[in-house]
Amino acid sequence: MFMGEPEGGKTLTMVVAKERRSRMIMCCVVPLKSSGEFAAKRVMAFMKEVGLDTAEINVKTDNEPAVKALVEKIGAFRAVAGAGRMVVENS
């Protein structure tokens, strides 16, 4: 998501994640839309906080290339950690 002034002002690029059962929401400002490992590590920290870092999960996302790359990076981190299955649902 982007947050900023409506008339040509500066905007902040943010990553937002929501866990369905607990309804917890995480929002973090990221340096760039394609911020590499930073955003993925922040999402992994959120997943650990809600107890889903190694559990089987479903991830709902859109087909934007930067978001798809983020989800792939999260999947790679989860694989290294020996996590359960991650099913990706695209809108």
Side-chain angles (χ1 to χ4, degrees):
M1 100 175 194
F2 298 100
M3 182 173 162
E5 299 174 14
E7 295 184 18
K10 292 184 178 184
T11 60
L12 295 174
T13 303
M14 307 171 108
V15 62
V16 180
K18 179 180 178 183
E19 196 280 317
R20 188 182 310 169
R21 289 188 185 132
S22 67
R23 297 184 181 169
M24 287 182 69
I25 297 174
M26 182 273 307
C27 182
C28 176
V29 175
V30 294
L32 299 168
K33 194 173 188 179
S34 57
S35 56
E37 292 187 1
F38 179 81
K41 287 180 180 179
R42 296 300 302 143
V43 173
M44 287 296 296
F46 172 69
M47 290 171 67
K48 185 172 185 170
E49 184 177 345
V50 296
L52 297 174
D53 54 329
T54 58
E56 290 189 9
I57 62 169
N58 292 338
V59 177
K60 292 186 179 182
T61 183
D62 62 19
N63 290 322
E64 184 179 348
V67 177
K68 287 173 76 172
L70 172 61
V71 171
E72 287 176 12
K73 182 61 81 173
I74 292 167
F77 284 153
R78 286 175 49 82
V80 169
R85 190 173 81 172
M86 182 173 99
V87 176
V88 179
E89 299 177 22
N90 294 310
S91 59

